[in-house]
């Protein structure tokens, strides 16, 4: 993701540097200065401040070329971040560093039929565990990131997927961790950031569409991280393909999610969702597919491609990254997604010059996605005090 031509403030300049280090994992000074469009002298002054504040470190590494620099600048591993990730089965909390390493994790099960009250109690229990763990070790948190599925601008007080009252949760966490910057986001945004910052050889560095196929189907526009709306979740899984189709959790029938989510996949395979999750990524090798099931699987993947293609009709871009169970399939099976995109009336890869990539599933590794989001929040504000701790 390219930085703006001329950062307009000290906060933005620091954010450009920290965000680049977060996405690259580390950089020598000359390429870092070039990436954020600063002179090496200006960069040196800012790095001096960031180092004094404990946000970055510089270690000696073999020079990339004869006579080249030997000081590799990276984010400081001592910075502590808290990650809170809500999923269909449990609430995960953890404490980790800017590079993605987790030092502490807890996973609390959700009730089979969750309500706002019961989910709130699970959050309270989890936050108490988190507070006690950090207090015993005298750890000061620099950021808390919370990932909630289905969170959007219109669901601040309630959540349509897992019942929870975000404003109340924000108040509770804010009281227990007074002074610690706190941000909430949609799960798909957290997973998009995780892949952009943690997946080796992630295929896109500029604007693209990220699609997550998991318990639900959702998308996120990945744009310049310096922009206020750089990471926008979009509704993608509830495009209706036929009113006679299977019932979706949103209440409609025939949504793309009702055909391609993990619960829908489990039903097609003739097993429970819990059993499918136990297989993990190995299900493609351990569960045999009959010719009929494989044909139906490709038909559903074609619909997923149609949903992606229709999304690109609204806002074209040059790249699409798809994460989730479709990325585990063979190229022959995944071709159905490509065919669906190409079948869109105004889109298709040839007309849009679209680059499509499948990236590994990240479902089940929580709270890694929330930890990546917390790191992104800290980097995006330049490591400076947050202007607000309200839920985003």
């Amino acid at each position: 993701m390219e930085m703006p031509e001329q950062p307009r403030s000290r906060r933005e300049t620091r954010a450009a540097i920290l965000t680049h280090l977060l996405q690259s994992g580390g950089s020598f000074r000359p390429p870092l200065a070039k990436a954020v469009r600063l002179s090496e002298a200006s960069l040196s002054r800012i790095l001096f401040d960031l180092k004094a504040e404990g946000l970055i470190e510089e270690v000696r590494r073999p020079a990339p070329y004869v006579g080249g620099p030997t000081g590799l600048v990276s984010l400081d591993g001592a910075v502590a971040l808290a990650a809170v990730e809500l999923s269909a089965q449990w609430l995960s909390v953890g404490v980790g560093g800017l590079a993605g390493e987790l030092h502490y994790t807890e996973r609390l099960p959700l009730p089979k039929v969750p309500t706002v009250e019961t989910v709130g109690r699970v959050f309270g229990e989890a936050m108490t565990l988190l507070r006690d763990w950090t207090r015993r070790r005298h750890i000061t948190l620099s950021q808390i990131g919370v990932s909630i599925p289905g969170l959007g601008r219109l669901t601040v007080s309630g959540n349509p997927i897992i019942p929870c009252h975000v404003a109340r949760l924000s108040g509770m966490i804010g009281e227990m961790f007074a002074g610690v910057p706190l941000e909430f986001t949609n799960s798909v945004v957290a997973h998009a950031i995780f892949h952009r910052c943690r997946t080796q050889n992630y295929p896109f560095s500029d604007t693209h569409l990220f699609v997550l196929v998991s318990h639900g189907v959702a998308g996120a526009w990945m744009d310049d991280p310096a922009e206020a709306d750089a990471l926008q979740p979009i509704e993608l899984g509830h495009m209706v393909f036929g009113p006679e189709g299977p019932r979706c959790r949103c209440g409609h029938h025939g949504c793309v999610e009702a055909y391609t989510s993990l619960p829908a996949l489990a039903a097609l395979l003739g097993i429970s969702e819990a059993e499918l999750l136990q297989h993990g990524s190995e299900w493609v090798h351990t569960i045999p597919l009959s010719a009929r099931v494989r044909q139906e699987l490709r038909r559903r993947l074609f619909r997923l491609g149609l949903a992606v293609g229709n999304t690109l009709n609204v806002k074209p871009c040059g790249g699409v990254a798809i994460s989730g169970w479709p990325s585990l399939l063979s190229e022959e099976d995944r071709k159905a997604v490509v065919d669906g995109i190409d079948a869109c009336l105004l889109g298709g890869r040839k007309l849009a010059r679209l680059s499509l990539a499948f990236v590994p599933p990240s479902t089940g590794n929580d709270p890694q996605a929330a930890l990546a989001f917390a790191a992104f929040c800290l980097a995006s504000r330049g490591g400076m005090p947050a202007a607000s701790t309200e839920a985003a």
Side-chain angles (χ1 to χ4, degrees), residues 68-284:
T70 58
L72 182 70
V73 182
S74 61
L75 299 172
D76 197 312
V79 176
L81 312 167
V84 183
E85 192 164 335
L86 184 63
S87 67
Q89 285 82 30
W90 48 67
L91 177 68
S92 300
V93 296
V95 176
L98 288 167
E101 71 283 4
L102 279 164
H103 310 303
Y104 163 74
T105 57
E106 292 279 359
R107 182 173 283 181
L108 286 70
L110 295 179
K112 290 185 178 179
V113 183
T115 64
V116 169
E117 289 72 23
T118 57
V119 171
R121 284 198 291 269
V122 174
F123 261 91
E125 182 182 349
M127 292 305 103
T128 300
L129 292 171
L130 181 64
R131 183 186 60 187
D132 293 347
W133 190 88
T134 54
R135 281 181 175 177
R136 286 196 303 269
R137 288 158 180 79
H138 306 288
I139 291 174
T140 301
L141 296 173
S142 297
Q143 178 74 50
I144 301 174
V146 185
S147 167
I148 295 181
L151 184 66
R153 288 188 299 272
L154 302 180
T155 56
V156 174
S157 61
N159 184 266
I161 296 179
I162 301 174
C164 60
H165 197 295
V166 176
R168 292 178 192 168
L169 296 179
S170 177
M172 177 188 69
I173 299 173
E175 288 181 8
M176 297 180 71
F177 297 91
V180 181
L182 168 66
E183 296 285 352
F184 285 74
T185 194
N186 188 297
S187 295
V188 68
V189 170
H191 282 271
I193 293 173
F194 170 81
H195 280 286
R196 179 64 187 87
C197 299
R198 305 281 185 247
T199 300
Q200 190 174 12
N201 300 321
Y202 187 74
F204 301 111
S205 59
D206 52 2
T207 302
H208 64 283
L209 172 66
F210 176 87
V211 178
L212 178 65
V213 187
S214 181
H215 297 285
V217 180
W221 295 115
M222 300 289 285
D223 213 327
D224 188 330
E227 300 296 330
D229 59 349
L231 301 163
Q232 287 292 310
I234 58 169
E235 187 55 80
L236 190 150
H238 298 294
M239 294 185 190
V240 176
F241 282 95
E244 305 303 320
R247 183 175 177 83
C248 181
R249 60 181 171 179
C250 72
H252 293 108
H253 290 263
C255 297
V256 66
E257 181 177 305
Y259 290 107
T260 60
S261 65
L262 280 175
L265 174 64
L268 176 61
L269 297 177
I271 60 176
S272 67
E273 183 184 355
E275 186 178 352
L276 178 61
L277 292 174
Q278 288 177 353
H279 282 271
S281 297
E282 292 301 309
W283 73 266
V284 292

Side-chain angles (χ1 to χ4, degrees), residues 330-353:
S330 67
E331 185 175 351
E332 187 177 359
D333 289 326
R334 294 198 309 243
K335 185 178 180 297
V337 179
V338 179
D339 292 341
I341 295 175
D342 286 348
C344 288
L345 181 61
L346 302 177
R349 291 168 304 139
K350 294 180 180 178
L351 289 177
R353 297 180 180 176

Side-chain angles (χ1 to χ4, degrees), residues 14 18 21 49-57 74-77 79 98 142 378 382-384:
R14 289 164 55 107
L18 293 176
L21 293 175
D49 291 340
L50 294 174
K51 197 180 299 183
E53 295 169 25
L55 292 169
I56 65 167
E57 58 186 358
S74 61
L75 299 172
D76 197 312
V79 176
L98 288 167
S142 297
L378 184 144
M384 300 174 72

